[in-house]
Amino acid sequence: MATTVRRAVLNLPAAPLGPENPLPPLRTPAAPPVPDPRGRADLPRDMARQLGHRPLRTVLPTRLLDGYGRERTPTDVDAVVIENARLRVTVLPGLGGRIHSLHHKPTGRELLHRNPVLQPAAFALNGAWFSGGIEWNIGATGHTTLSCAPLHAALVPGPDGSTMVRLWEWERLRDLPFQVDLWLPDDSDFLHVGVRIRNPHEQPAPVYWWSNTAVPETPDTRVLAPADEAWHFGYDHALTRVGVPESDGLDHTYPRRSAYPADHFYELPEGARRWIAALDADGHGLAQTSTDLLRGRKLFRWGHGRGGRRWQEWLNGPGEGGYAEIQAGLSRTQLEHVPLDSGAAFSWLESYGPLSADPAVVHGRDWAAATGEAAARLEEALPRGAVDEAYAAWLPHADAEPGETLATGSGWGALEVLRGGHRLPGTPFPTATLGEQQEPWRELLEHGTLPKPAGPPGPTQVSPPWRDMLETADADPHTEYHLGIAQWHADDRAQAVRSWERGLESGPAPRWPLLRCLAVAAEEGDRPDHAAELYAEAFADLDAPGTTDLTASAEGSALLAALARETVEAHLSAGRPGAARALLAGLPEAIRERGRFRLLLARTLAAEGDTGAARAIFDAGFEVADLREGAGILGELWASVSDEPLPAAYDFGMSPPQA
């Protein structure tokens, strides 16, 4: 059977993403994980150097996606299906190009954890993410900001007259174009994935890439990789070298045997084949292998503890099987970023397919025999040399121009190509893809003026060329607002504050965007009282004469909810629970009843000393849809209002008690 590509529509229970949060993310929603610096002297030198290489301070210029809920309804989702006689690959180009399913037809086995629902959760750098399948993480430590975003997709000619599916986009955190080519040769058991990241700029760029595969997890699932050591990283942020398969008397290659979530980054020996596999009790499962540039391999486990199981239920729905993650990246650990020279590119090829090995050996006590057995069976199924040959065959086609369009991504790449005149064979970003969010910036580029919006300000461009244009544009409150955001992103915070203050002084305009930015700056400057005052003034400005009814549209409601949340939190930080409670009481009921705002009310009541009323909110039940991974707020608040154990519904604990 020759490989075919067709469009399809999946119908899945899904919670809508909701509109973007219109407030610029001047801070990261959660601090990036940083290992204890006291241990760096014991790390390999390249790892230690890359651990501190240009970490993110914000997720600008992207916006947060935090407007989703947990009410799922049957939803049509566009898909692309790549199929031959052996494999059926289902891709979701509108959701980060996620491979949703990898079905092995001869055995009838699903090789991936195929999530039966699409439930956003706050795991991506900018919020919304969902579990399952194979995702492509680019940008910075964490799940990509493109997790729930559309990518460009098209058919392209591949080796030997085959047809590939190309996915591509412009990654905005690091300002880099990338592509993912999905190539399934006729009668192959393995899907080949060619990846290329290019740096079209005049200065080096930090690069992060991890391909993340969710695999079905049972009590007997074992993860194998050709390593005798690993770097363990838990939610205590300690990076330590441990033995494989055992440390502290526990065989951590079985994800369900550990109580708490953790990462294990495997130390693959120099010259060893790059691979990782997850096999069940019968020795069947999935293997991932690659050319040598993709050096890192990782296991992430949820563990069998109550918090980890609760997260699994939260992400997959009740009663569904769990999953573990096997991953592959450019560096040893996900805490590192690798420099990419100006005008250069990183490219490699990955392969995904079924693997079967002798279960008695795979699950035996002899780790060398277990990994040797898996490696031998992988070599039979897909020799290492064949992967290198597939890479050599694919690379000349990386520049092939796309043919039939399957999906359309954002217009940000088109704007960057227009500004920089970049030549990017194989990944076109046509001007026809420019949309409403890009048009003001096109006006600035072509005419030197940033037009004023009819409603709330749109996203900000923050890279140095755009910042230079903002500095020379006609000064008005709107331009000063965007200039201050770009300066803040460049860590020129004092100048950002001056720009926002000039904006307030330079004429009549909505004041809340500038006041809110100044409030964040006050919080970051450890001035909580001043921050609360600025937030209160910003929130009051939403009701200024001439403003529109914010509840009349989804975007307006998103603004009201976002600014209300930050203002309440600022009042609580400043020790003003009465002001927080008054603001909450004045919100529309639809916002007050959201889980996040029920939590804010409980925090407010506890701060006022009314622990009984705060406890009653817990007893009535609520769900915080955008609860972040690793957040301990529910357990901390419960401990302040009750001496009883934390109810299971609120237990999302990720760390051992002593941590």
Side-chain angles (χ1 to χ4, degrees):
M1 174 183 173
T3 299
T4 61
V5 180
R6 59 182 170 87
R7 302 171 190 264
V9 176
L10 305 182
N11 189 270
L12 297 170
L17 279 176
E20 293 180 330
N21 185 324
L23 303 181
L26 301 178
R27 296 167 290 206
T28 56
V34 177
D36 189 332
R38 292 171 296 181
R40 291 200 180 185
D42 299 326
L43 302 179
R45 289 187 179 180
D46 60 334
M47 181 194 289
R49 183 170 59 250
Q50 291 173 174
L51 284 175
H53 183 55
R54 294 177 63 177
L56 285 184
R57 293 182 176 87
T58 76
V59 295
L60 289 166
T62 64
R63 285 180 150 187
L64 300 183
L65 286 171
D66 57 6
Y68 50 85
R70 291 191 55 79
E71 184 176 338
R72 298 185 288 268
T73 57
T75 303
D76 287 343
V77 180
D78 290 335
V80 174
V81 176
I82 313 167
E83 187 169 12
N84 66 10
R86 313 287 297 176
L87 281 181
R88 182 167 60 247
V89 185
T90 305
V91 187
L92 307 180
L95 292 166
R98 183 81 58 100
I99 294 181
H100 177 66
S101 170
L102 196 63
H103 179 78
H104 188 233
K105 296 163 73 173
T107 61
R109 290 201 301 269
E110 173 60 50
L111 302 180
L112 306 177
H113 168 64
R114 183 177 58 192
N115 197 334
V117 302
L118 289 179
Q119 176 56 61
F123 279 58
L125 288 164
N126 64 334
W129 171 88
F130 63 101
S131 63
I134 306 173
E135 59 180 299
W136 319 111
N137 288 308
I138 181 173
T141 301
H143 294 282
T144 176
T145 61
L146 297 168
S147 293
C148 293
L151 302 191
H152 300 281
L155 300 180
V156 292
D160 301 325
S162 61
T163 298
M164 300 187 296
V165 172
R166 175 163 299 159
L167 307 164
W168 74 99
E169 240 314 346
W170 195 282
E171 200 286 313
R172 300 182 70 207
L173 293 183
R174 301 304 194 183
D175 220 13
L176 299 174
F178 73 98
Q179 69 191 78
V180 176
D181 288 356
L182 306 177
W183 169 31
L184 181 60
D186 296 348
D187 299 321
S188 173
D189 277 311
F190 281 80
L191 172 71
H192 296 316
V193 181
V195 182
R196 179 169 61 172
I197 304 169
R198 289 185 276 195
N199 179 8
H201 306 298
E202 296 179 354
Q203 60 281 336
V207 172
Y208 172 93
W209 181 280
W210 282 80
S211 302
N212 182 354
T213 304
V215 292
E217 176 206 65
T218 70
D220 296 314
T221 297
R222 192 176 205 188
V223 173
L224 301 108
D228 295 322
E229 291 184 314
W231 298 94
H232 174 276
F233 192 70
Y235 284 81
D236 57 357
H237 289 184
L239 184 65
T240 55
R241 193 192 296 259
V242 298
V244 179
E246 294 185 4
S247 61
D248 296 327
L250 177 72
D251 188 334
H252 50 75
T253 63
Y254 290 92
R256 287 284 288 273
R257 293 187 182 178
S258 303
Y260 291 96
D263 300 328
H264 281 86
F265 299 101
Y266 294 111
E267 186 69 67
L268 273 60
E270 287 296 327
R273 183 177 185 177
R274 312 303 196 198
W275 65 272
I276 190 169
L279 304 181
D280 64 17
D282 297 322
H284 303 308
L286 175 134
Q288 188 273 0
T289 186
S290 72
T291 48
D292 288 353
L293 183 68
L294 204 66
R295 66 175 297 178
R297 292 298 185 275
K298 169 193 165 182
L299 160 66
F300 169 75
R301 64 168 194 257
W302 283 110
H304 66 253
R306 195 167 75 159
R309 304 329 293 173
R310 181 71 176 106
W311 273 117
Q312 296 259 28
E313 179 184 63
W314 187 257
L315 296 170
N316 306 318
E320 296 297 331
Y323 72 94
E325 294 173 358
I326 57 173
Q327 304 188 25
L330 283 172
S331 53
R332 281 184 175 90
T333 74
Q334 289 176 328
L335 310 176
E336 304 168 63
H337 297 83
V338 183
L340 177 60
D341 290 338
S342 169
F346 288 142
S347 63
W348 65 89
L349 185 123
E350 308 177 40
S351 300
Y352 296 82
L355 184 66
S356 292
D358 184 340
V361 180
V362 164
H363 295 285
R365 294 285 300 169
D366 188 332
W367 175 247
T371 56
E373 164 67 10
R377 301 293 79 75
L378 177 60
E379 187 66 18
E380 291 175 357
L382 184 68
R384 183 178 187 178
V387 175
D388 294 333
E389 290 168 4
Y391 172 69
W394 162 74
L395 194 57
H397 297 267
D399 285 346
E401 288 304 312
E404 179 186 345
T405 298
L406 300 173
T408 302
S410 78
W412 295 113
L415 185 66
E416 288 304 322
V417 168
L418 198 64
R419 181 201 61 76
H422 305 301
R423 291 189 66 257
L424 299 168
T427 54
F429 294 95
T431 56
T433 60
L434 291 168
E436 181 180 354
Q437 290 188 334
Q438 292 83 42
E439 281 304 328
W441 299 97
R442 184 177 186 177
E443 184 77 13
L444 177 65
L445 176 65
E446 296 178 347
H447 301 290
T449 301
L450 192 66
K452 300 177 181 64
T460 302
Q461 290 288 80
V462 297
S463 66
W466 291 106
R467 189 170 70 246
D468 290 345
M469 283 183 263
L470 287 168
E471 288 174 346
T472 57
D474 293 339
D476 59 41
H478 182 59
T479 302
E480 297 284 12
Y481 163 80
H482 284 291
L483 174 57
I485 294 171
Q487 291 165 333
W488 183 271
H489 176 265
D491 210 28
D492 190 353
R493 297 191 167 187
Q495 189 58 54
V497 168
R498 285 193 285 271
S499 294
W500 294 326
E501 290 174 340
R502 282 197 308 268
L504 285 175
E505 298 165 357
S506 61
R511 294 166 54 81
W512 67 262
L514 295 155
L515 288 165
R516 183 265 176 178
C517 289
L518 289 169
V520 174
E523 284 184 320
E524 292 294 288
D526 199 23
R527 294 182 294 160
D529 288 326
H530 187 46
E533 292 166 0
L534 289 166
Y535 265 119
E537 191 177 350
F539 192 78
D541 190 63
L542 292 179
D543 287 329
T547 57
T548 58
D549 180 7
L550 292 176
T551 61
S553 68
E555 291 74 15
S557 181
L559 170 59
L560 181 62
L563 190 55
R565 171 180 170 176
E566 291 190 7
T567 305
V568 168
E569 290 173 340
H571 283 315
L572 292 175
S573 295
R576 302 178 179 184
R581 184 160 47 80
L583 191 154
L584 287 168
L587 292 174
E589 182 179 5
I591 294 178
R592 290 201 314 270
E593 291 305 312
R594 295 179 189 174
R596 172 60 64 178
F597 286 85
R598 299 296 293 164
L599 173 61
L600 285 172
L601 179 58
R603 289 176 57 193
T604 299
L605 292 167
E608 290 183 314
D610 194 347
T611 56
R615 163 68 187 262
I617 292 175
F618 276 94
D619 292 342
F622 64 93
E623 291 186 326
V624 182
D626 61 333
L627 188 69
R628 290 204 69 85
E629 177 186 10
I633 182 61
L634 293 177
E636 294 165 7
L637 183 58
W638 174 263
S640 73
V641 302
S642 175
D643 294 328
E644 299 173 16
L646 179 65
Y650 302 114
D651 189 351
F652 294 88
M654 305 284 277
S655 302
Q658 64 270 23

